């Protein structure tokens, strides 16, 4: 079947919040919560077809250095 598998990678307080509360989505079509597996280690996720890279500007370089396990060849 057609489907997708989502994972989140986070650090610090964001990691703790995602693990305990999930991801809260606020949408014009209705708000909802998403419970995704979360880790601080990109190696645990492995190669991905799509990566949404969402970081605050001061974290960009350090987070970008951790992308290799997600990108594959």
């Amino acid at each position: 079947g057609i489907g997708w598998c989502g994972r989140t990678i986070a650090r610090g307080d964001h990691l703790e919040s995602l693990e305990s509360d999930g991801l809260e989505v606020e949408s014009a079509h209705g708000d909802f919560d998403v419970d995704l597996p979360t880790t601080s280690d990109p190696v645990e996720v492995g190669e991905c077809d799509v990566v949404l890279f969402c970081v605050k500007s001061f974290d960009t370089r350090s987070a970008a250095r951790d992308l290799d396990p997600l990108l594959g060849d």
Side-chain angles (χ1 to χ4, degrees), residues 25-32:
V25 178
E26 295 179 7
S27 168
H29 300 286
D31 300 345
F32 58 95

Side-chain angles (χ1 to χ4, degrees), residues 13-72:
D13 292 342
H14 290 115
L15 175 64
E16 291 177 22
S17 178
L18 286 167
E19 287 177 329
S20 64
D21 302 327
L23 179 66
E24 298 174 25
V25 178
E26 295 179 7
S27 168
H29 300 286
D31 300 345
F32 58 95
D33 295 330
V34 180
D35 186 21
L36 295 171
T38 303
T39 181
S40 62
D41 185 1
V43 173
E44 290 181 22
V45 175
E47 189 173 335
C48 299
D49 293 327
V50 176
V51 175
L52 300 178
F53 186 70
C54 307
V55 297
K56 294 181 179 176
S57 60
F58 59 85
D59 286 330
T60 302
R61 285 190 180 163
S62 65
R65 284 191 286 269
D66 295 334
L67 287 175
D68 282 345
L70 307 175
L71 302 179

